Amino acid sequence: MRVDVLNPEKQKIDNAQDFDIRQRMDIVIIGHVDHGKSTIVGRLLADTNSLPNGKLKQVKQLCERNSKPFEYAFLIDALKDEQSQGITIDAARVFFKTQCRDYIIIDAPGHIEFLKNMVTGASRAEAALLVIAADEGIQENSKRHGYLTSMLGIKQIAVLVNKMDRIGYNQDIFNKIVNDYSEFLKNIDVNPHCFIPVSGLIGDNIAEISNKMSWYTGDNILNTLDQFKKEEIPINKPFRMPIQDIYKFTKYNDNRRIIAGTIETGSINIGDEVIFCPSGKKSKVKTIEVFNSPEVPKVSAGQATGFTLEEQIYITRGEVMTKIGEAQPSLSSRIKVNLFWLGKKPMVKNKEYLFKIGTSRVKARLEEITRIIDASSLNAASDKNFIDRHDVSECILKLNKPFGFDLKEHITITSRFVIVDDYEICGGGLVRETLQDKESWMQNKVFIRNYKWEKGNISAKDRADKYKQDPALLLITGNDNLNRKKLAKKLEENMFHANKPVYFLGMSNLLYGLDADIKDGDKNRGEHIRRLAETVNILIDAGILTIVTASELTEDDIKLIKTSLAAEKIKTIWVGKDVTTDINFDLKLEQAHNIEQNSTKVYNYLKSENIFH
Amino acid sequence: MDYLDQLENKSIHILREAYANFKNMCMLWSIGKDSTVLLYLARKAFLGHVPFPLVHIDTAYKIPEMIEYRDKIATDWDVNIIYGQNEKALKSKQSFPDGNVDRITCCKLLKTTALNDTLSGNGKRYIFNHDKKAYELDKNNEPYTGVIVGVRSDEEGSRSKERYFSPRNQEHEWELGDQPPEFWNQFKTDFAPGTHLRIHPLLDWTELNIWEYIKRENIPVVSLYFDNGEGKRYRSLGCYPCTYSVDSNAKDVDDIIFELKSGKFANIAERSGRAQDKDDGGGLETLRKDGYM
C-alpha cells in the first residue's frame, strides 16, 4: 500500500486536554408562522452574549430612528445581512454556545409551502423546540409539525408556549394548551420533555426564570437545552451495514477487494461471520481496512468503514451486511408502510416510483391506501384514491424485487426509506410490516438455505487443498449443440484421468428427474435454472468441478444462477464463431469442431484462473 | 467517537455515495485548506486511492505559491489533476486587475464561466502528465455530472442554505428557492439529462473543525496560511488582487486553532479578507446562483 510522502504517520495527540473537541448539538425550532420563533432565538442570543459586540445597541438605535418598537426578531434579520463581517448567523442556522456544549439552532420555516425545507432542517436535529403562541393557541400546523417531527425520529421535544405576556401570564390558558397538545402528542406516541411558558418579547423563562409566573416551577429554555441528551449511538442493536460499493483499485498492485459502507447499527469484529441480505451469501471478516491510521480489531455504528472477506463472494451495492447469530431482517417485496408525501404531484396507483432504502434502489408501485391521516386532526380523511402533497398515509407498496427489511418497531434507522418521482425525493416513510408474496418466497428460500447450511468437519479449503483444485461450474454454451456436448464429455474424460474430481451433469438428467414436476417447461425457465444452480451448488460444495452444457444462455440466466452461486465460481465458455446472445463469456472457442485442441485450451484457461493448483 | 470523528465519517459516507452514483465525477480543488482536507478525506474514503480527477480553475491571478503547491501535491499524492481557464477573457484582458471590469464580473468570467466550461467540456481541459511532469491537453471532454466541492455552511449566507447533493440546471444555475428535500442520509442522485449535481461533503464543518482536523491528521497545507515573521498571514486563499492577508502572528496550526477558539479571530468571519463578497452585498448569493463554487 502506498503511504504518504508528506504524511508518513498520523500525529499522535499527546496533549489531549489542550485538544478538546467541543460537543455539538443541532436543535430545530419549529412553529406556525408568527408564533414567535425568531423573537425567541433573538432573545436566546442576546441573553447568552452570543451577539457580536454592540449589535444589540445598534439595532435598538436603528429602531428608534425609524420610530418603531424594538423587537428581538430584528436581530436575526440584522445578523443575516452581517454574514460577511459578523459571526455565524444565517437564514437557516444560528450558532451559540453554553458552558455545556455548542449549539446550532436550525430555523425551520413555518409556512406550509416550505414543508420540505422544514423536513430537511428537522431531520438534521437531535431535539426540537415546538413553539405555540398562547394567544392564538394550537394551530393546524402545530399539529402537523408535531406529527412530522415524530416521524422524522426526533425523540426529545420541548414545547414553548410563547407570548405569555399577551395573555397576562394566565395559568389556565397555559394549562389548557398543555392538556390539549399533550393529548394530541400522546396519540402519536410523542412524550414531550416539558412545556415552558415563555415570552420572547419580554424575556420570560428564556435564559432566566421569570418572576411573573410563580405558578410555574419548571426550567427555562437554556437549562432545558442543556438537559437534552446526545443521541446514543445504536451499537447495541443487531449489526447492519448497507453496502455502498465494492472497491477493487488496481493501482500500486493493490489486490484488496473491499466491501465499503457506513455501519448503521451494531458492531463487528475481525473473524465474525457475516451474511448478506437479500442474497443470503455468507463469509467471514478477514480485515478491517483503514487509511493512514493504526489497524483496528473492531468497528461499530456511525463508522464509515471497509472490510475484506475470507471467502470471495459475489455481492453488489444495495445488499445489507448482517451478522450471523443476530436477528435478521425479513425478506419481502410487499410492505406496509407509513409515509409522508412532499411531491408537487400526488402519489397515485399504477405508476412506477423509485424506492430507496439504505443503499438499495428498486422500482415500486402504490398497491393500496389503507388510510390517509389528516396530520392536523389525526382523523382518517375521506376515501382518497391518491396521496396528496403534505398528506401522511398508511399504505401498501409492491416492489419489483424482494428486499430485506427491518421494521420500525425493531430497528427504526434501517426501516426508513424515501420515494423518488421524476428525479426528486417526494416522500419518506417507515416500514411497519412485511407481507408475503410469490417472489419473496424464492429469495427467502435461498437466504434460509444459506443461513441454515450445515457444514461437515471438512472445510472448502481442506477439500481444495486435497483435490488440488478450486471447484467451479464450467458452463459451456453456444449455438453448436453437437460440439458443445462433445467438448464437455471430452473435458470430463481428460480431467478424470488427470485425477481431478469432475462431473458432467447432463441437462436431461435433471429435466426428467428432479424437474419432472415442472409443467409448461418454457414458462418456467426460471425454476429450471434455479434447480440446476441448487444442484451444482451441492456438487461444488463437495469439491467437484461441474460441467454443464446449455444452448444460448443470456446474461439474465447467468444473473439468476448467481443468486445461488458465487460469481467467481462460474466460468462461461462460448463455443462457435457467432455470439447470438448478450452473454459476457470468459472464453470463446471459435473452431467448434476441433475438440481435442479446445479441450487443451479450456484446461490451460482453468489453470490460468487457478482452478487447478 | 468525538465530533471530529462524526464529521469525518459523514463526509466519507457522502464521498462514497457520490462515487457510487456518478460515472463522470470530479472534485474541485482550490488548493486551499478546505479542499485539501477534502482530498485527504477522499483518500480515506477510497483507502489510499483518488478514483476521480481533481479540477482546478486557474484564474491566472492565483498567489504563485498556490500553483507551486498544487503541482507538488499532485506529484506527491499521485493524483490526476486537470485545470481549465477562461482563455478568451484573459486574452482580451476582461479582468478586474486589468481595470476593464468590476470585481463581480471578473469573478463571473474567470471563475464561474471558466468552471462551467471546464465542467461541460466546452472549454479546454489540461491534464497533468506524471511522466513528463507537465500539463497537456486532455482528450476527454465528457461533461462531469457529479462535482465534489469543499464549501462549508458557516462560510457565508448562501452556502448555509446548501444541500449535501445540490442540483444545477442546464445553465449551471442554482435554484435556491426550490431546493429538493434531503433527509435520513438519502440524497438526490437522480437527475435529468444535461443537469448536474454539486456534492458538498464538508457542509457541516466549521473553519475551526478544518484546522482541528488538519492538526489531528497532520495534513500538509500551503505555507501562506502561516506568519513567516512579518506578522501577516492569509486566512482564506484566492486571487491576489482581491484577497488580503490578515495581521496575525500564528506560525503553526496550534497558533491558528488558538486564534480561532479564543484569540483575535473568535468573532470575525473567515472571508472578511475577500473583497468580492462585499461587492456582492455581503454574500455570494448572486455569484453562486450562476454556478460559482
Side-chain angles (χ1 to χ4, degrees):
Chain A
M1 200 40 244
R2 189 187 166 85
V3 287
D4 282 1
V5 180
L6 294 169
N7 188 13
E9 195 181 296
K10 187 166 149 175
Q11 190 179 352
K12 287 277 166 291
I13 295 151
D14 38 15
N15 51 345
Q17 288 96 337
D18 301 346
F19 196 69
D20 140 54
I21 306 290
R22 298 252 311 163
Q23 195 185 69
R24 184 173 126 172
M25 186 182 261
D26 290 22
I27 308 272
V28 65
I29 183 159
I30 310 170
H32 189 59
V33 181
D34 287 338
H35 276 203
K37 286 183 297 149
S38 296
T39 309
I40 291 172
V41 176
R43 252 305 170 178
L44 212 47
L45 291 177
D47 293 359
T48 53
N49 291 322
S50 303
L51 292 163
N53 290 344
K55 184 88 264 173
L56 188 61
K57 204 171 152 194
Q58 187 194 333
V59 175
K60 279 185 174 167
Q61 281 170 349
L62 194 74
C63 289
E64 243 165 64
R65 273 208 302 279
N66 298 329
S67 32
K68 60 177 179 182
F70 167 80
E71 282 183 28
Y72 277 91
F74 295 158
L75 272 173
I76 304 298
D77 296 333
L79 287 166
K80 278 181 204 167
D81 302 334
E82 299 266 327
Q83 186 67 39
S84 57
Q85 300 138 45
I87 25 174
T88 39
I89 313 292
D90 62 62
R93 297 161 176 230
V94 180
F95 294 60
F96 83 101
K97 46 182 89 164
T98 64
Q99 291 250 301
C100 173
R101 53 168 92 101
D102 293 353
Y103 287 98
I104 290 184
I105 296 210
I106 303 162
D107 193 0
H111 199 279
I112 188 151
E113 274 304 303
F114 301 119
L115 201 66
K116 63 176 180 174
N117 294 346
M118 179 249 149
V119 166
T120 304
S123 74
R124 292 180 184 174
E126 287 181 66
L129 300 174
L130 292 179
V131 181
I132 297 173
D135 55 344
E136 283 189 28
I138 301 161
Q139 299 292 305
E140 192 186 305
N141 247 356
S142 319
K143 292 185 175 176
R144 184 176 282 114
H145 287 155
Y147 201 128
L148 280 172
T149 309
S150 108
M151 269 191 97
L152 285 167
I154 301 176
K155 291 194 195 77
Q156 308 184 84
I157 296 173
V159 184
L160 313 180
V161 180
N162 191 26
K163 305 193 183 181
M164 286 301 288
D165 54 305
R166 292 245 186 121
I167 55 157
Y169 301 100
N170 185 313
Q171 186 182 4
D172 293 339
I173 298 177
F174 174 76
N175 282 345
K176 180 149 182 10
I177 291 174
V178 172
N179 288 338
D180 291 354
Y181 201 55
S182 295
E183 174 118 9
F184 170 82
L185 292 178
K186 209 173 123 192
N187 282 325
I188 53 172
D189 285 331
V190 174
N191 186 15
H193 181 84
C194 60
F195 283 78
I196 313 175
V198 302
S199 165
L201 189 71
I202 312 293
D204 295 307
N205 289 337
I206 308 281
E208 271 165 44
I209 290 292
S210 167
N211 55 15
K212 300 191 190 80
M213 292 170 273
S214 52
W215 45 266
Y216 176 70
T217 52
D219 248 317
N220 59 24
I221 297 179
L222 202 61
N223 289 338
T224 304
L225 288 179
D226 280 349
Q227 283 162 22
F228 282 143
K229 291 195 179 64
K230 283 297 287 178
E231 226 164 72
E232 262 180 55
I233 298 172
I235 48 173
N236 293 324
K237 297 256 179 196
F239 177 81
R240 297 286 187 266
M241 187 181 92
I243 306 302
Q244 278 186 293
D245 230 320
I246 315 293
Y247 297 136
K248 183 80 188 67
F249 301 114
T250 46
K251 213 172 175 182
Y252 318 126
N253 294 322
D254 189 350
N255 56 12
R256 296 173 298 174
R257 192 166 172 275
I258 299 165
I259 318 288
T262 302
I263 303 171
E264 295 277 14
T265 54
S267 63
I268 195 160
N269 293 278
I270 291 175
D272 279 350
E273 277 192 292
V274 293
I275 182 159
F276 292 85
C277 191
S279 74
K281 289 176 183 167
K282 282 196 291 192
S283 194
K284 208 184 246 187
V285 177
K286 188 175 171 190
T287 60
I288 295 170
E289 292 297 321
V290 285
F291 168 74
N292 236 28
S293 313
E295 278 178 28
V296 289
K298 177 183 182 171
V299 276
S300 53
Q303 287 183 275
T305 186
F307 304 100
T308 65
L309 301 176
E310 289 281 359
E311 198 179 335
Q312 295 306 330
I313 48 173
Y314 178 78
I315 39 165
T316 51
R317 176 180 160 90
E319 293 216 44
V320 182
M321 184 169 164
T322 70
K323 229 159 87 176
I324 286 184
E326 289 187 340
Q328 291 297 312
S330 52
L331 284 150
S332 182
S333 54
R334 265 182 93 222
I335 47 174
K336 192 176 218 178
V337 304
N338 281 7
L339 75 81
F340 53 87
W341 192 250
L342 304 166
K344 285 176 193 139
K345 287 182 244 163
M347 187 178 194
V348 293
K349 290 179 188 173
N350 297 319
K351 183 181 167 180
E352 208 163 66
Y353 294 93
L354 189 62
F355 176 92
K356 288 169 80 177
I357 190 162
T359 54
S360 141
R361 46 198 290 144
V362 56
K363 285 174 187 154
R365 280 165 195 280
L366 173 62
E367 187 179 286
E368 192 187 323
I369 299 172
T370 327
R371 63 181 184 135
I372 304 267
I373 306 145
D374 182 335
S376 57
S377 67
L378 295 189
N379 292 330
S382 57
D383 291 338
K384 269 210 257 188
N385 216 9
F386 53 88
I387 306 169
D388 249 331
R389 188 180 195 186
H390 304 149
D391 274 348
V392 177
S393 153
E394 201 178 274
C395 55
I396 294 170
L397 301 178
K398 175 80 180 80
L399 314 182
N400 259 13
K401 59 179 185 201
F403 190 76
F405 295 102
D406 285 309
L407 307 183
K408 193 217 166 227
E409 268 56 46
H410 302 145
I411 310 181
T412 309
I413 301 174
T414 43
S415 77
R416 292 168 175 165
F417 64 86
V418 298
I419 289 178
V420 175
D421 180 25
D422 198 20
Y423 309 116
E424 297 288 340
I425 292 179
C426 285
L430 302 144
V431 181
R432 301 306 301 261
E433 208 179 314
T434 52
L435 310 165
Q436 284 310 309
D437 67 355
K438 248 188 193 165
E439 287 123 3
S440 318
W441 180 85
M442 203 154 121
Q443 191 73 40
N444 260 307
K445 289 293 161 207
V446 174
F447 187 84
I448 292 167
R449 174 259 272 171
N450 284 351
Y451 195 80
K452 296 281 182 191
W453 193 269
E454 200 173 336
K455 282 184 179 163
N457 293 335
I458 313 298
S459 74
K461 193 171 179 304
D462 293 339
R463 276 185 231 275
D465 288 347
K466 178 141 190 152
Y467 299 155
K468 297 193 170 52
Q469 75 173 12
D470 281 335
L473 164 64
L474 197 57
L475 210 44
I476 304 178
T477 186
N479 49 8
D480 188 330
N481 205 9
L482 187 70
N483 286 316
R484 226 174 37 221
K485 271 195 187 156
K486 272 191 188 165
L487 174 64
K489 290 178 183 175
K490 184 75 198 164
L491 277 169
E492 186 193 30
E493 205 183 325
N494 289 354
M495 289 170 194
F496 179 79
H497 291 304
N499 292 323
K500 301 291 181 196
V502 59
Y503 185 70
F504 165 74
L505 176 63
M507 283 299 264
S508 51
N509 308 4
L510 290 180
L511 280 177
Y512 301 102
L514 185 61
D515 289 351
D517 61 321
I518 303 179
K519 303 209 170 61
D520 222 353
D522 280 350
K523 276 190 196 156
N524 286 304
R525 190 175 167 85
E527 180 58 15
H528 283 294
I529 291 182
R530 189 188 76 82
R531 291 189 190 187
L532 167 70
E534 287 296 320
T535 309
V536 173
N537 184 50
I538 292 172
L539 290 168
I540 287 183
D541 196 55
I544 298 166
L545 182 87
T546 310
I547 307 172
V548 171
T549 68
S551 65
E552 299 175 278
L553 287 172
T554 63
E555 240 348 88
D556 269 354
D557 298 331
I558 303 288
K559 216 168 125 192
L560 209 57
I561 297 174
K562 279 180 185 168
T563 46
S564 294
L565 290 176
E568 63 276 5
K569 296 238 176 263
I570 305 168
K571 304 292 170 195
T572 48
I573 296 170
W574 185 272
V575 179
K577 243 192 186 109
D578 305 320
V579 180
T580 49
T581 76
D582 62 345
I583 194 167
N584 297 313
F585 50 80
D586 295 306
L587 183 69
K588 189 181 171 194
L589 302 167
E590 299 206 349
Q591 310 288 330
H593 57 276
N594 205 338
I595 304 296
E596 196 60 53
Q597 196 191 326
N598 284 344
S599 167
T600 314
K601 274 188 187 166
V602 174
Y603 194 91
N604 289 339
Y605 165 72
L606 293 177
K607 191 123 186 119
S608 74
E609 287 288 297
N610 293 322
I611 297 287
F612 299 142
H613 301 173
Chain B
M1 194 185 283
D2 68 22
Y3 185 60
L4 272 189
D5 293 325
Q6 282 175 31
L7 287 173
E8 179 190 65
N9 282 302
K10 173 117 191 194
S11 299
I12 290 176
H13 182 81
I14 291 171
L15 283 167
R16 287 173 170 175
E17 278 304 283
Y19 181 63
N21 279 291
F22 299 97
K23 276 209 182 82
N24 263 311
M25 189 167 76
C26 69
M27 180 187 275
L28 291 194
W29 194 37
S30 75
I31 304 151
K33 61 190 189 314
D34 301 326
S35 51
T36 304
V37 163
L38 191 57
L39 173 57
Y40 182 82
L41 285 166
R43 300 173 79 220
K44 275 214 165 181
F46 306 108
L47 289 312
H49 301 266
V50 183
F52 36 75
L54 305 184
V55 169
H56 177 236
I57 299 308
D58 190 353
T59 59
Y61 290 102
K62 293 289 172 196
I63 305 167
E65 283 97 321
M66 292 170 70
I67 303 295
E68 215 173 277
Y69 177 80
R70 173 188 80 188
D71 296 344
K72 178 170 167 50
I73 285 281
T75 312
D76 289 348
W77 287 6
D78 190 20
V79 286
N80 266 330
I81 181 150
I82 286 168
Y83 82 82
Q85 59 186 185
N86 189 342
E87 292 176 343
K88 204 174 128 203
L90 285 170
K91 220 176 247 168
S92 57
K93 300 208 176 295
Q94 292 296 301
S95 77
F96 173 73
D98 282 314
N100 294 327
V101 298
D102 62 19
R103 287 186 210 271
I104 296 291
T105 311
C106 184
C107 267
K108 246 182 199 160
L109 288 170
L110 297 190
K111 286 189 184 172
T112 312
T113 307
L115 173 67
N116 291 348
D117 287 348
T118 308
L119 294 181
S120 66
N122 294 333
K124 284 181 190 159
R125 294 174 183 165
Y126 297 92
I127 187 164
F128 190 72
N129 182 322
H130 281 274
D131 296 326
K132 294 183 189 156
K133 304 262 175 272
Y135 285 88
E136 59 191 30
L137 197 65
D138 187 10
K139 288 181 201 89
N140 174 19
N141 59 359
E142 285 270 299
Y144 294 115
T145 49
V147 182
I148 306 171
V149 191
V151 303
R152 309 190 324 263
S153 68
D154 77 324
E155 281 180 278
E156 44 82 34
S158 78
R159 284 177 180 148
S160 75
K161 299 171 193 165
E162 270 290 4
R163 300 288 194 254
Y164 299 112
F165 283 62
S166 178
R168 294 293 182 274
N169 67 18
Q170 296 193 322
E171 280 72 48
H172 295 256
E173 289 158 349
W174 180 37
E175 289 167 77
L176 178 57
D178 190 21
Q179 295 202 76
E182 193 172 66
F183 49 95
W184 295 339
N185 263 342
Q186 292 288 354
F187 309 106
K188 180 178 166 70
T189 51
D190 299 276
F191 56 97
T195 64
H196 77 268
L197 267 289
R198 297 274 173 94
I199 299 126
H200 301 132
L202 297 183
L203 212 53
D204 292 338
W205 296 58
T206 62
E207 185 189 10
L208 177 61
N209 297 147
I210 292 284
W211 284 111
E212 285 171 335
Y213 192 69
I214 287 171
K215 176 180 164 63
R216 194 181 84 174
E217 303 288 318
N218 198 19
I219 302 169
V221 288
V222 63
S223 59
L224 293 164
Y225 284 113
F226 308 111
D227 168 31
N228 62 7
E230 290 163 10
K232 290 208 169 285
R233 71 176 192 89
Y234 285 94
R235 197 171 162 199
S236 169
L237 296 179
C239 301
Y240 58 80
C242 295
T243 309
Y244 312 127
S245 56
V246 292
D247 292 328
S248 160
N249 296 317
K251 289 191 171 48
D252 55 29
V253 179
D254 285 317
D255 288 353
I256 291 180
I257 290 174
F258 173 78
E259 228 175 40
L260 291 173
K261 259 188 167 164
S262 39
K264 57 183 294 190
F265 290 140
N267 279 331
I268 298 175
E270 175 189 355
R271 290 180 65 94
S272 49
R274 297 284 202 109
Q276 71 267 37
D277 292 29
K278 287 180 192 116
D279 288 4
D280 196 10
L284 286 171
E285 205 156 301
T286 326
L287 275 171
R288 297 198 73 247
K289 272 182 183 161
D290 290 334
Y292 186 90
M293 50 293 245

